[in-house]
Amino acid sequence: MKKSEPIKLRPYQTTDIENIEKAWDTHRSVLYQLPTGGGKSVVLTKLVSDYPDEQIIIFAHKRRLLTQLHERLNGMGIKTGILFGQRSEDLDSPVVVVSIRTAVNDKRLEKLMLREWNRVIIDEARHSRTSSYDKVLTALVKKYPMHKLLGVDATPHRKDGKRLDKHFQVLVNSGETTASLIDKGFLSKYKTFQSPIDKESLKEQVKENSNDYQSTELSGYMRQPKYLEYIVDTYKKFGEEKQAIAFAVDLAHAKDLRNCFINHGGYKPSEIVQIDSRKKPKEIDAAFAGYEKKEIQILINVEMITEGVDLPDTGCIIGARPTKSLTLYLQIVGRGTRIKNDGSDLIVLDCCGWTEEYGTLSSPKTWSLNPDIDPNNPRKGNKIVGRNAAGEYTEDLTEFVGEIVEMTAEEYIRNLSKGLEYAEEENKSIDDKIQDLLTALAELIVKLMKDGHANLQYKVSINYRRVKIEYFHKSIKKDEYNYRHHSIDLEFEKDGDTSEFFPQMNYGYDKSETKNQIIDLQIALGKMSEVFNNKKKLDGLEDDAKGFISQITDLEESKINLDEFKEQARRFKREQWEKKIDDHFIESSKFMFEKTLRYNAFFRDYSRGFNIEGVEFPKGKINKTNNIMILHKVRMDRNWRYKEENKPEYTESRVTETREYIKIDKIHELLKAGKWGEVKKEELETV
């Protein structure tokens, strides 16, 4: 065993360890949350090294988790044994890493209970609510009630609703989030690209169970050729040929996806490798080794690389399996968050609707021991939008294929404003180009007239009574673009007879007039050819003029629709305002709403001598269909009499309790109108 070396900690890891040990001072069991890639094994190793004289047992549920922990602890000079399956090494060591599947065996458990364990650690602690963990942890508490328990997990939440507080008394969240770790350079930056699937048909064709989609039906759905080819095409378009890990539904789906990469994508069979639970450990290790040597381009796996696998140079995550599990999504995408040797960004290819459901990798989360609290709540007001190269955003992702980003309400409006500024600048640039073309076009028309005059084959006198070129400019009124265009008014005299040859030509931006302008120009040029009888020379100039018109039309069509930007911003601001009202009122908890009623000046006056002792909402909460709020108001009157002067004596009391039914929309309307607390009782609708 080599000499122990100092464990290098990042500042947040030091703080997190201090918080865990403080929690241990007052609680027997602690659950610690740290984002994927934040260095969970480093924290765990440091904690183990802090108690060299104690007996510590560490549980995990996967072979690779166990072997990585075993190798790391021994590598840091901490003598560590290991027990899983038929492998049993150094079990007399002060620290032992044990497979929970092995420990649950009655004979194994009996032997393990012979040692008095001071500390118990569970890696990927959300699995602690399985029957195996329940059995082992219950036995440990019964035999050694004073031991300290630590659970470690990046995503401490279960979709099935089983409570993690059965085994853990307190949750210690790390001081860092995925977003902050990315900002500080500890995790890789990333970009997310989406190729949408038909979510409506997915809901119709694939059932859900307590944890996720029904596997067989989901596999059949995702094995449709259009989705298999979609995934391959998305990787070829956005994956930048980076090494990738693809996540499939089951063995059949993984096999079909691999064949599609080979047959449709043109990859060699040796470049696309499938790993799953049927593979022997040696085959899996060989696949990982080939991937690390860059001999393998894509690993297609079925639930083999969701936890405890560190392949830092993974540059692309391919999402090929929809899921209803937030934790599974985060564990999958987290496989690519390690810093790359070349410093490049991670590319997430969401081909199955993850992002719309759960947000991006760095979306804010709230982790809690209470299963009723959805960790995804903090991001539910955010916008998932598509962003194109021109800086425009779209909320409709049904047909959108490209980069997608997540923004808070404030960020969305701010970025939309930037998009509007960009659009205005882009349009101004186009306007300037069109102005140059219009000037050139006007000069060309004069040149046509002069060249025609110089090439007349018979005597004709031309009187340029007026040649007027009015240069283009613009004015803006009420955010609308209005233009004054070039105009050329020409008249000529032939054989003493004055005719209107080229009465007026307007060339400008109005799309509705573009077609007519081109027709006018063609008629005018044709008339000039007839009069001047020199068609050959005029052909080149006519083509030039048509070219100008074509360029102007193309530029006009390329302008960005500013009205759509503005309408999008207005619509979103309105939605956000309504949402804030609803969040403040309709979705308020009973406690917070009752507190508002008790301390709000309006309701104090409204109670008229009564104390508001409670608020009741039919069916348990306020919602749009439940339109009644019940106030419980209590008033106590006491009677006094005087036996002696200045010594009153209480004789009796009378308690009056009332229940008053108020329509919620009325209060909702007051909130929206900003008149909360300014209305008299008579103005409320009571029932």
Side-chain angles (χ1 to χ4, degrees):
M1 185 66 61
K2 73 174 186 178
K3 186 178 178 181
S4 177
E5 299 176 358
I7 298 172
K8 296 180 180 179
L9 296 175
R10 297 168 181 171
Y12 68 87
Q13 292 171 333
T14 300
T15 302
D16 289 352
I17 288 170
E18 291 172 355
N19 290 335
I20 291 169
E21 292 180 330
K22 284 178 184 177
W24 261 338
D25 290 340
T26 53
H27 298 87
R28 185 189 64 81
S29 56
V30 177
L31 179 56
Y32 169 57
Q33 182 273 331
L34 177 66
T36 300
K40 176 182 61 175
S41 59
V42 175
V43 172
L44 193 152
T45 302
K46 180 63 170 67
L47 280 167
V48 170
S49 70
D50 284 347
Y51 302 95
D53 300 326
E54 295 190 1
Q55 304 293 308
I56 300 175
I57 187 169
I58 304 173
F59 291 110
H61 68 296
K62 287 193 174 183
R63 178 183 69 91
R64 196 164 180 86
L65 288 172
L66 293 160
T67 55
Q68 285 181 348
L69 283 169
H70 180 250
E71 290 169 4
R72 179 173 182 82
L73 290 166
N74 278 304
M76 296 303 298
I78 302 170
K79 187 178 180 182
T80 304
I82 187 168
L83 174 63
F84 75 90
Q86 301 303 311
R87 185 177 176 183
S88 177
E89 301 172 9
D90 301 322
L91 297 187
D92 59 344
S93 302
V95 181
V96 180
V97 179
V98 180
S99 164
I100 189 63
R101 295 187 177 97
T102 303
V104 77
N105 177 277
D106 289 339
K107 290 184 179 179
R108 290 286 195 186
L109 184 58
E110 186 178 344
K111 288 183 179 179
L112 288 172
M113 290 299 108
L114 295 176
R115 287 181 63 176
E116 185 174 353
W117 301 103
N118 305 109
R119 295 184 192 270
V120 177
I121 299 174
I122 301 174
D123 199 8
E124 306 294 349
R126 64 187 177 282
H127 298 292
S128 64
R129 288 310 320 278
T130 61
S131 58
S132 297
Y133 270 115
D134 281 341
K135 178 180 176 179
V136 172
L137 294 177
T138 300
L140 279 164
V141 170
K142 185 176 180 180
K143 187 75 178 287
Y144 306 112
M146 300 305 292
H147 78 269
K148 297 289 187 180
L149 173 65
L150 174 68
V152 181
D153 207 316
T155 55
H157 181 75
R158 294 181 63 93
K159 188 176 182 298
D160 60 12
K162 289 185 178 179
R163 302 184 68 94
L164 296 177
D165 58 2
K166 176 176 180 179
H167 299 302
F168 300 102
Q169 297 167 306
V170 64
L171 175 66
V172 174
N173 284 300
S174 173
E176 300 291 345
T177 63
T178 299
S180 66
L181 291 174
I182 292 172
D183 290 341
K184 294 177 180 179
F186 294 126
L187 294 181
S188 171
K189 295 180 180 179
Y190 68 93
K191 291 182 179 178
T192 302
F193 294 90
Q194 168 167 294
S195 287
I197 62 172
D198 187 342
K199 294 196 179 81
E200 292 303 317
S201 66
L202 175 66
K203 291 178 182 177
E204 292 172 3
Q205 297 180 40
V206 181
K207 298 184 183 70
E208 294 181 35
N209 54 37
S210 61
N211 290 314
D212 212 329
Y213 290 109
Q214 205 281 329
S215 179
T216 304
E217 292 183 358
L218 183 61
S219 174
Y221 186 86
M222 293 304 295
R223 283 159 56 202
Q224 296 178 71
K226 63 178 180 179
Y227 289 136
L228 295 172
E229 292 175 6
Y230 214 178
I231 291 164
V232 174
D233 291 342
T234 301
Y235 174 71
K236 290 176 76 70
K237 184 174 182 180
F238 298 115
E240 299 179 4
E241 291 299 318
K242 294 189 176 206
Q243 280 189 288
I245 302 175
F247 293 83
V249 179
D250 61 6
L251 302 180
H253 182 219
K255 180 180 177 182
D256 286 355
L257 185 57
R258 179 174 183 268
N259 290 336
C260 190
F261 268 103
I262 295 168
N263 299 326
H264 178 70
Y267 291 93
K268 297 177 183 177
S270 60
E271 294 177 316
I272 315 295
V273 174
Q274 176 182 337
I275 57 174
D276 52 62
S277 58
R278 298 178 309 171
K279 304 287 185 183
K280 295 178 181 178
K282 288 184 179 180
E283 293 178 295
I284 294 172
D285 290 342
F288 286 146
Y291 186 80
E292 289 174 336
K293 292 176 184 176
K294 302 191 183 305
E295 298 169 352
I296 295 172
Q297 183 70 14
I298 300 174
L299 282 175
I300 301 177
N301 84 102
V302 180
E303 297 182 356
M304 296 296 294
I305 315 180
T306 55
E307 299 165 326
V309 177
D310 293 329
L311 298 169
D313 275 342
T314 296
C316 181
I317 297 294
I318 303 175
R321 61 150 300 162
T323 180
K324 300 300 290 184
S325 170
L326 169 67
T327 56
L328 179 58
Y329 159 60
L330 292 176
Q331 291 287 344
I332 286 174
V333 182
R335 296 309 103 198
T337 56
R338 272 65 172 184
I339 297 294
K340 321 296 176 231
N341 286 329
D342 62 2
S344 63
D345 294 349
L346 168 68
I347 292 176
V348 179
L349 302 181
D350 176 7
C351 303
C352 54
W354 288 338
T355 311
E356 282 190 86
E357 186 95 17
Y358 303 115
T360 57
L361 172 61
S362 56
S363 295
K365 298 288 180 283
T366 294
W367 302 106
S368 171
L369 292 178
N370 184 350
D372 296 329
I373 295 177
D374 182 357
N376 209 31
N377 272 335
R379 64 145 299 265
K380 286 191 174 176
N382 290 1
K383 303 289 284 187
I384 300 297
V385 297
R387 178 175 61 190
N388 65 23
E392 295 174 271
Y393 296 94
T394 177
E395 297 177 60
D396 182 7
L397 300 179
T398 307
E399 300 296 332
F400 180 84
V401 178
E403 185 179 4
I404 48 178
V405 295
E406 178 183 22
M407 293 175 283
T408 64
E410 292 75 14
E411 287 171 335
Y412 182 79
I413 294 173
R414 192 160 57 245
N415 277 280
L416 192 61
S417 299
K418 287 181 180 177
L420 181 59
E421 291 168 9
Y422 171 87
E424 289 172 339
E425 290 174 6
E426 184 70 12
N427 284 358
K428 183 180 182 302
S429 173
I430 293 172
D431 290 344
D432 293 341
K433 291 176 183 176
I434 292 176
Q435 181 175 346
D436 292 340
L437 288 170
L438 288 169
T439 302
L441 181 59
E443 292 170 351
L444 176 62
I445 292 171
V446 173
K447 180 176 173 55
L448 283 168
M449 296 299 296
K450 289 180 178 179
D451 286 354
H453 173 245
N455 287 281
L456 284 176
Q457 293 182 357
Y458 50 89
K459 186 177 178 180
V460 64
S461 62
I462 293 182
N463 176 20
Y464 288 94
R465 292 187 178 178
R466 185 170 72 254
V467 177
K468 178 183 176 186
I469 299 177
E470 183 178 290
Y471 286 94
F472 170 86
H473 72 280
K474 69 180 179 182
S475 62
I476 302 175
K477 294 180 181 179
K478 298 181 180 178
D479 294 327
E480 294 179 357
Y481 285 78
N482 300 309
Y483 305 98
R484 293 175 63 192
H485 308 296
H486 288 283
S487 65
I488 300 174
D489 297 335
L490 298 164
E491 293 180 355
F492 77 96
E493 244 179 62
K494 178 182 177 183
D495 295 334
D497 178 26
T498 302
S499 301
E500 187 180 73
F501 167 65
F502 206 28
Q504 185 172 356
M505 291 296 299
N506 291 319
Y507 301 97
Y509 287 31
D510 190 339
K511 293 181 183 178
S512 64
E513 295 180 5
T514 300
K515 185 175 180 181
N516 293 331
Q517 290 169 359
I518 293 173
I519 293 171
D520 288 345
L521 179 65
Q522 290 170 338
I523 292 171
L525 291 173
K527 188 180 292 186
M528 290 171 69
S529 295
E530 293 172 10
V531 173
F532 297 137
N533 195 24
N534 194 353
K535 185 73 168 62
K536 186 175 181 182
K537 182 157 186 178
L538 290 176
D539 277 345
L541 296 174
E542 183 179 358
D543 290 341
D544 289 344
K546 288 179 180 178
F548 282 130
I549 287 292
S550 176
Q551 290 181 63
I552 290 169
T553 303
D554 290 344
L555 284 169
E556 177 61 39
E557 292 296 329
S558 72
K559 289 175 70 176
I560 298 169
N561 188 335
L562 302 178
D563 290 338
E564 177 58 29
F565 266 97
K566 294 170 185 176
E567 174 57 29
Q568 206 172 11
R570 284 194 294 269
R571 184 172 66 250
F572 185 70
K573 287 178 181 178
R574 183 172 63 250
E575 289 172 358
Q576 288 303 307
W577 167 245
E578 291 174 354
K579 184 179 183 303
K580 284 181 180 180
I581 291 295
D582 286 345
D583 286 348
H584 177 73
F585 183 73
I586 292 183
E587 299 300 330
S588 291
S589 67
K590 293 182 182 182
F591 171 77
M592 290 305 297
F593 197 81
E594 183 177 346
K595 184 177 179 182
T596 301
L597 294 180
R598 287 177 183 275
Y599 293 103
N600 184 274
F602 164 66
F603 275 101
R604 282 206 306 272
D605 176 65
Y606 175 77
S607 64
R608 297 188 184 278
F610 286 79
N611 288 321
I612 297 174
E613 294 296 329
V615 181
E616 180 182 345
F617 307 114
K619 297 183 181 178
K621 66 178 181 180
I622 300 177
N623 55 44
K624 291 178 181 177
T625 58
N626 227 6
N627 195 28
I628 300 297
M629 174 179 71
I630 306 170
L631 291 185
H632 296 265
K633 300 173 16 177
V634 177
R635 177 171 182 166
M636 178 178 288
D637 295 313
R638 293 182 173 180
N639 294 330
W640 302 87
R641 69 182 181 185
Y642 292 84
K643 288 185 176 180
E644 299 178 20
E645 187 176 358
N646 296 328
K647 290 186 178 181
E649 180 182 273
Y650 164 72
T651 57
E652 61 178 347
S653 65
R654 182 176 73 256
V655 177
T656 305
E657 181 176 356
T658 64
R659 287 158 58 91
E660 199 152 323
Y661 296 76
I662 300 177
K663 283 191 176 180
I664 291 169
D665 330 5
K666 187 65 181 180
I667 301 177
H668 200 179
E669 288 169 12
L670 296 175
L671 281 170
K672 285 188 175 181
K675 295 180 179 179
W676 178 252
E678 297 178 9
V679 70
K680 296 180 181 179
K681 175 185 174 183
E682 299 77 59
E683 295 176 359
L684 274 180
E685 278 191 71
T686 56
V687 183

